Amino acid sequence: IENSNTYFAFSYKTHQTCNPIPTFTLTPLLLLRVRHQQISRVLQKAVEGSSRNIKERTCFLKESLNFFGLSELLGKKMGSFETDLNLEATELRLGLPGREESDKSSNGTRNCNKRPLSESEPRPDGDDEGPKAASAPKAQIVGWPPIRSYRKNNLQPKKAEAEAASGIYVKVSMDGAPYLRKIDLKVYDAYPELLKALENMFRFTAGEYSEREGYKGSEFAPAYEDKDGDLMLVGDVPWEMFITSCKKLRIMKGSEARGLGYGV
Amino acid sequence: MAEEDGDHQPLRGSDPPDQVLDTVLETVLQFLTCRQDRNSASLVCQSWHRAEALTRSELFIGNCYAVSPARATARFPRVESIYIKGRPRFADFNLMPRNWGAHFRPWVSAMSRAYPWLEKVYLKRMSLTNDDLALLADSFRQFKELELVFCEGFGTKGLSEIASKCRQLRVLDLSDTEVIDDAMDWISSFPEGETPLESLTFDCVECEINFEALEGLVARSPSLKKLRLNRYVSIRQLYQLLIKAPQLTHLGTGSFSQSENIQHLDDNQDLDYHSAFAACKSLVCLSGFKEVMPEYLPSIYPVCANLTSLNFSYTNINPQQFRSVIVHCHKLQNLWLLDTVCDEGLQAVAASCKDLRELRVFPVHPDEDIEGPVSEVGLQAISEGCRKLQSILYFCQRMTNEAVIAMSRNCPDLVVFRLCIMGRHQPDHVTRKPMDEGFGAIVKNCRKLTRLAVSGLLTDKAFSYIGQYGKLVRTLSVAFAGDSDMGLRYVLEGCPRLQKLEIRDSPFGDEALWAGAHRYYNMRFLWMSSCRVSRLGCQEIARSMPHLVVELLRYEEEDAPFVEEDNNNFSVLYMYRSLEQTRNDAPESVTIL
């Protein structure tokens, strides 16, 4: 029973009265294929739902869908989000079955954070909580507040100089990979962290960096395009200078990487 | 029809009285422009009806399904400009299936035969394709003005047709309209040589444009007064356009920031934006700033003193940056903002903009459970400083009855009052009481009010106020409000001028629906989604009112799986009066009773 997969259906129904006391009912709407442990958790939360406020229930639902990789069903493609859902308050610990909550995925090869299909930047896997709270689509209720999606999608993101909280997002491409990724440079303090994250993300090893020889011991070389449009090797300039001048990252491979003069 | 040429001489013995009378009537009726007056005139008698129909040159169709193109073109043979509205407003918030209808095709087909002289088309919330635009461009030799608001379904290919074939085009305005990127350089499709272009608005078009072609177009359009650029135009490019077109009266600035992609050799050398703006002595309306770099804002100072309209609703700036702009804008009448300016910014508005008529404050975070930057403080300040206010749209997280009551007293000229407290069922955050008294004061004190949108915690009492005092209200928007059927009944029984009623997620059911039966033929439409009406109730209405189209909309799974499926298996009731039989272009998810 521990490992069985069960088809589980749930939805929620809120009844609006003078004093909104929403209740959960289980009516077939979505089929989720989940592990048994997760079902009992979901059920438990659903039953307890009537004693929680809307906010927590909302959090819970969003997280569940996020976790099950079905957040796209919530419909919205949203930009960056400021509010982190407070999972502490809901006492939720969600994650893939068999995985310890405190387990930082050290090999990182299996990025178990199901990324919602909406355009949110993946954070490196350092958090305890499984699904990424910050990237869940916001609106639980369709069409509320009544703002047109054009307006929602085109609100200007905050400029880095104005707010300390915003990130520096750059695209990362790897030669031969079909699509690009995006990372937030502000999340890292120094080059080793960044390199490790890149290695995890693209499943390669960068080799040993030295000023004289660049990245030795690998057929990959992480490079970046700076403000002047020049292709530079990652690691040559001080970190602070790097994050302000880096426009995009490119992991070069093979002969082009070698062509920079850094041999395998 | 043989007409004597505007001859008003008294009756000659040989002329039959009717013919002269008709001629006189037609001549006189030509001066009647207001459509409500025209409608009244057409009801006087047969000959007035005929004369009015022959002289109506502007046709307004408030609901594209209320009347068929055939009927409209048959009655009004000499139309030169047409204004058609399609979907109801709640469709903008994803509450309607995407392919619901409101197609332009049947209209453009009928008009291509009936009105070859057509000059203006204005569409709101309609769906049109590239082919429709091609047909339009081919059919109307004298076509001059195209305005599309909240439309979708076509792409740059269609735009290209219009640009290339409509040689007399004066106005091409796309507002909040989705344009598909067909990879067609439509700007280059404008013909060579001088153009009669007066207004070009494409700020909502989310594709790159050929800037060189745009520059050339602006340079050879001496009559150009209104130019609204999209966010793919950088501030440098804006500069180049401004120096070519200082005669502009309306400007949408595009991104108002440096372009990411184009590297300029002289990047460090800032152009003299200040002078470029200073040269635009006629500029009265400013918008855009889609990705504003606040350090460039001071360049608009020279035009602020003349501005009557400013749209900062895509502009994320803080209160200080905002204040330094708004202190110069003493003539401002229309102002759209993002709430990042905070209550402080609104206080600055109240201090500087004494002539303000319309204010809209949009949320940068359209969320429910967060601390908002604007509140009752901002609203109170505005009410005290901007006494001439006529229209307000205000999104906030918290509000008090006191502030709303203050506004009702300070701004008696209010015609439009739309308050959106984003947290559902939020009471007055100080007294914890419902928002009934606030909205009650608005309908009571603002005697000219025609449009009202309510929010927050509201009981049936609020609706009883609306029914009692809202005698001029034409449009009412309700969401997550009311206790019982009585709420809706108060409104349906109390508001004689009600035309458009849109309600969502409120506990109004069949009984209330029935109570309004006597009103529905006099209304444009009724929208009720996620309320308590049942299929049976709707069927009853549909059965007893043959000229009412009762549509039940269901959500498809992919569209919005989280809208509750109730037993009746529909989510939206949308009903409207119509002279026609059931439409045949409805998708699967729509059931017409």
Side-chain angles (χ1 to χ4, degrees):
Chain A
I1 262 192
E2 284 287 311
N3 292 324
S4 68
N5 296 330
T6 315
Y7 285 87
F8 176 65
F10 82 91
S11 78
Y12 76 99
K13 222 173 175 62
T14 60
H15 293 286
Q16 306 297 335
T17 62
C18 288
N19 300 315
I21 304 176
T23 56
F24 272 99
T25 62
L26 303 176
T27 61
L29 184 65
L30 291 175
L31 288 179
L32 300 176
R33 183 164 163 267
V34 302
R35 298 275 177 166
H36 186 74
Q37 298 106 300
Q38 271 64 46
I39 287 185
S40 53
R41 271 208 201 123
V42 165
L43 269 174
Q44 184 192 8
K45 292 303 170 190
V47 163
E48 285 171 16
S50 54
S51 65
R52 291 178 185 279
N53 63 33
I54 284 187
K55 174 178 177 172
E56 287 174 350
R57 193 190 349 279
T58 303
C59 292
F60 161 68
L61 272 168
K62 281 196 236 182
E63 286 316 303
S64 310
L65 278 188
N66 235 346
F67 165 60
F68 296 128
L70 290 169
S71 55
E72 70 267 23
L73 289 180
L74 282 171
K76 295 288 197 298
K77 284 184 182 241
M78 301 298 285
S80 60
F81 308 100
E82 304 300 307
T83 52
D84 268 342
L85 297 171
N86 187 358
L87 287 185
E88 250 54 60
T90 59
E91 298 167 308
L92 287 176
R93 283 284 176 265
L94 296 176
L96 279 183
R99 178 170 167 256
E100 287 304 313
E101 263 105 29
S102 55
D103 183 37
K104 287 184 184 239
S105 65
S106 44
N107 358 6
T109 46
R110 295 254 158 260
N111 188 344
C112 34
N113 301 316
K114 284 279 204 168
R115 192 159 299 100
L117 291 189
S118 53
E119 283 231 337
S120 41
E121 285 68 38
R123 297 171 65 84
D125 198 4
D127 293 334
D128 285 333
E129 296 117 35
K132 285 302 145 212
S135 42
K138 271 179 175 167
Q140 177 72 4
I141 299 289
V142 176
W144 188 263
I147 305 278
R148 298 191 175 91
S149 27
Y150 174 77
R151 189 171 279 284
K152 277 198 245 205
N153 295 339
N154 283 284
L155 283 179
Q156 192 188 356
K158 291 194 170 154
K159 297 286 179 191
E161 74 244 356
E163 303 285 342
S166 75
I168 302 177
Y169 290 100
V170 296
K171 293 184 190 173
V172 189
S173 64
M174 174 145 117
D175 292 353
Y179 58 87
L180 280 61
R181 306 300 298 276
K182 224 171 192 181
I183 59 170
D184 178 2
L185 293 178
K186 268 212 157 171
V187 160
Y188 313 101
D189 292 324
Y191 282 120
E193 277 185 321
L194 170 65
L195 287 169
K196 188 153 151 254
L198 289 176
E199 284 174 335
N200 289 345
M201 191 182 274
F202 287 94
R203 309 211 210 134
F204 72 101
T205 38
E208 275 238 337
Y209 172 78
S210 72
E211 202 177 289
R212 201 166 70 91
E213 288 182 304
Y215 288 90
K216 196 170 159 186
S218 156
E219 57 162 348
F220 295 97
Y224 70 100
E225 191 179 301
D226 73 355
K227 269 200 282 218
D228 303 321
D230 300 324
L231 194 62
M232 311 279 295
L233 190 71
V234 168
D236 283 346
V237 301
W239 176 254
E240 285 306 317
M241 189 187 294
F242 166 72
I243 58 173
T244 52
S245 62
C246 172
K247 288 290 159 224
K248 56 164 102 148
L249 279 159
R250 180 180 155 198
I251 302 170
M252 302 175 72
K253 189 176 159 183
S255 55
E256 257 205 290
R258 261 169 254 138
L260 287 176
Y262 306 113
V264 176
Chain B
M1 160 93 70
E3 279 180 274
E4 277 124 299
D5 42 350
D7 195 270
H8 293 245
Q9 273 162 20
L11 191 67
R12 295 206 193 93
S14 51
D15 294 325
D18 285 346
Q19 203 172 342
V20 174
L21 204 58
D22 279 347
T23 311
V24 169
L25 204 51
E26 280 170 34
T27 314
V28 168
L29 284 179
Q30 265 161 25
F31 294 100
L32 213 59
T33 46
C34 165
R35 67 172 194 268
Q36 280 83 5
D37 291 343
R38 281 192 157 268
N39 290 344
S40 308
S42 69
L43 293 173
V44 169
C45 65
Q46 281 278 356
S47 73
W48 278 58
H49 183 96
R50 198 169 43 241
E52 192 283 311
L54 289 172
T55 54
R56 192 181 293 224
S57 61
E58 272 177 33
L59 187 56
F60 174 86
I61 308 281
N63 175 358
C64 64
Y65 288 121
V67 63
S68 71
R71 192 186 291 261
T73 52
R75 176 172 166 190
F76 300 106
R78 301 217 192 125
V79 168
E80 289 164 15
S81 73
I82 189 160
Y83 187 137
I84 312 176
K85 287 187 175 181
R87 287 178 286 274
R89 198 177 71 96
F90 273 12
D92 292 350
F93 313 124
N94 301 334
L95 292 173
M96 220 176 200
R98 257 189 96 79
N99 54 349
W100 173 80
H103 302 290
F104 185 45
R105 173 57 62 90
W107 289 92
V108 69
S109 302
M111 292 193 299
S112 65
R113 293 184 293 273
Y115 308 139
W117 49 77
L118 193 71
E119 293 187 356
K120 298 188 204 179
V121 168
Y122 183 129
L123 303 179
K124 190 168 186 181
R125 293 196 185 93
M126 299 280 293
S127 297
L128 49 162
T129 64
N130 286 336
D131 289 337
D132 297 338
L133 288 173
L135 183 58
L136 192 151
D138 284 328
S139 311
F140 308 118
R141 293 283 119 219
Q142 298 178 53
F143 195 72
K144 296 193 171 67
E145 297 187 20
L146 180 64
E147 239 186 288
L148 302 175
V149 181
F150 303 127
C151 296
E152 47 84 40
F154 65 97
T156 47
K157 242 183 173 169
L159 288 180
S160 183
E161 296 279 337
I162 300 286
S164 58
K165 293 184 185 159
C166 301
R167 295 291 159 131
Q168 297 197 34
L169 195 67
R170 294 198 296 233
V171 172
L172 179 57
D173 282 351
L174 308 168
S175 305
D176 291 286
T177 287
E178 268 181 55
V179 178
I180 302 166
D181 190 353
D182 294 328
M184 185 79 176
D185 180 3
W186 59 283
I187 299 274
S188 300
S189 305
F190 281 95
E192 297 288 321
E194 217 173 83
T195 77
L197 213 54
E198 292 172 14
S199 173
L200 181 62
T201 300
F202 61 95
D203 53 1
C204 56
V205 176
E206 291 295 307
C207 9
E208 307 248 2
I209 47 132
N210 179 339
F211 182 70
E212 263 177 49
L214 179 63
E215 233 185 322
L217 179 64
V218 168
R220 61 182 195 278
S221 303
S223 311
L224 194 67
K225 291 282 191 297
K226 303 185 189 178
L227 180 63
R228 296 184 177 102
L229 309 164
N230 69 8
R231 63 182 180 88
Y232 290 91
V233 178
S234 71
I235 192 169
R236 294 188 84 83
Q237 291 170 329
L238 172 66
Y239 176 85
Q240 286 160 309
L241 293 173
L242 276 183
I243 56 179
K244 290 192 162 65
Q247 78 280 7
L248 288 177
T249 57
H250 294 60
L251 175 67
T253 64
S255 68
F256 215 70
S257 79
Q258 299 286 7
S259 161
E260 288 180 352
N261 302 319
I262 303 172
Q263 299 284 350
H264 291 278
L265 292 170
D266 50 3
D267 239 356
N268 296 327
Q269 225 181 33
D270 265 340
L271 298 167
D272 194 354
Y273 301 114
H274 198 269
S275 300
F277 274 101
C280 299
K281 305 229 180 284
S282 320
L283 208 56
V284 291
C285 173
L286 209 50
S287 62
F289 307 100
K290 300 241 167 163
E291 288 162 16
V292 72
M293 286 178 140
E295 58 264 36
Y296 288 117
L297 275 179
S299 14
I300 69 169
Y301 290 170
V303 295
C304 287
N306 282 331
L307 280 185
T308 56
S309 172
L310 178 59
N311 184 346
F312 265 172
S313 66
Y314 292 98
T315 309
N316 188 332
I317 49 175
N318 64 36
Q320 291 72 36
Q321 291 160 339
F322 176 65
R323 170 183 268 122
S324 42
V325 172
I326 206 70
V327 292
H328 302 286
C329 304
H330 297 290
K331 284 197 192 161
L332 214 56
Q333 294 184 10
N334 288 51
L335 179 58
W336 290 25
L337 295 174
L338 265 190
D339 65 2
T340 54
V341 304
C342 301
D343 286 328
E344 257 183 86
L346 294 173
Q347 285 163 334
V349 173
S352 308
C353 309
K354 296 299 179 192
D355 219 13
L356 200 67
R357 311 296 162 100
E358 178 183 325
L359 175 68
R360 295 197 193 191
V361 180
F362 294 96
V364 67
H365 296 297
D367 239 349
E368 289 194 64
D369 296 321
I370 60 170
E371 272 294 299
V374 298
S375 67
E376 74 278 2
V377 172
L379 193 73
Q380 178 94 26
I382 293 288
S383 77
E384 287 164 7
C386 309
R387 299 296 175 110
K388 297 190 194 167
L389 200 64
Q390 292 171 359
S391 169
I392 183 162
L393 169 62
Y394 197 88
F395 282 88
C396 58
Q397 292 290 349
R398 57 194 197 284
M399 186 48 59
T400 61
N401 281 309
E402 193 188 335
V404 179
I405 295 171
M407 176 154 271
S408 77
R409 296 214 178 102
N410 293 334
C411 307
D413 289 338
L414 274 178
V415 173
V416 174
F417 184 81
R418 299 160 68 190
L419 176 62
C420 183
I421 303 168
M422 287 187 275
R424 289 164 289 146
H425 309 289
Q426 280 286 316
D428 176 325
H429 81 99
V430 166
T431 65
R432 309 306 296 169
K433 290 208 180 113
M435 292 299 299
D436 298 343
E437 295 307 314
F439 286 103
I442 291 285
V443 283
K444 211 186 300 188
N445 299 334
C446 303
R447 311 305 303 145
K448 304 181 193 172
L449 197 76
T450 60
R451 182 169 180 184
L452 180 64
V454 301
S455 61
L457 181 65
L458 293 170
T459 69
D460 286 345
K461 191 129 192 34
F463 295 98
S464 80
Y465 286 140
I466 297 174
Q468 192 179 354
Y469 298 106
K471 296 304 178 189
L472 294 183
V473 171
R474 279 175 43 101
T475 308
L476 180 61
S477 308
V478 177
F480 304 101
D483 303 320
S484 71
D485 282 351
M486 276 320 291
L488 181 54
R489 289 187 63 166
Y490 285 133
V491 169
L492 288 170
E493 287 162 9
C495 302
R497 299 281 179 97
L498 197 60
Q499 287 290 302
K500 299 181 257 184
L501 183 52
E502 39 190 35
I503 306 174
R504 64 167 294 180
D505 294 277
S506 301
F508 306 136
D510 294 337
E511 230 189 270
L513 195 64
W514 255 120
H518 64 290
R519 297 276 308 125
Y520 300 139
Y521 279 158
N522 291 322
M523 285 173 60
R524 176 95 56 87
F525 69 79
L526 169 66
W527 168 295
M528 289 179 73
S529 57
S530 305
C531 297
R532 300 231 177 110
V533 289
S534 72
R535 194 190 192 94
L536 212 61
C538 298
Q539 269 164 348
E540 275 302 305
I541 293 274
R543 205 196 324 271
S544 60
M545 301 183 75
H547 289 298
L548 203 63
V549 176
V550 179
E551 296 195 10
L552 301 182
L553 279 50
R554 231 175 34 246
Y555 287 114
E556 304 292 333
E557 283 287 311
E558 320 85 58
D559 269 334
F562 255 69
V563 176
E564 34 194 281
E565 292 267 337
D566 45 82
N567 306 326
N568 298 292
N569 205 35
F570 69 94
S571 316
V572 179
L573 160 66
Y574 177 54
M575 56 192 220
Y576 52 90
R577 63 184 170 189
S578 175
L579 294 172
E580 311 301 336
Q581 298 299 316
T582 307
R583 65 189 177 107
N584 55 7
D585 61 355
E588 277 280 308
S589 50
V590 176
T591 311
I592 305 184
L593 298 176

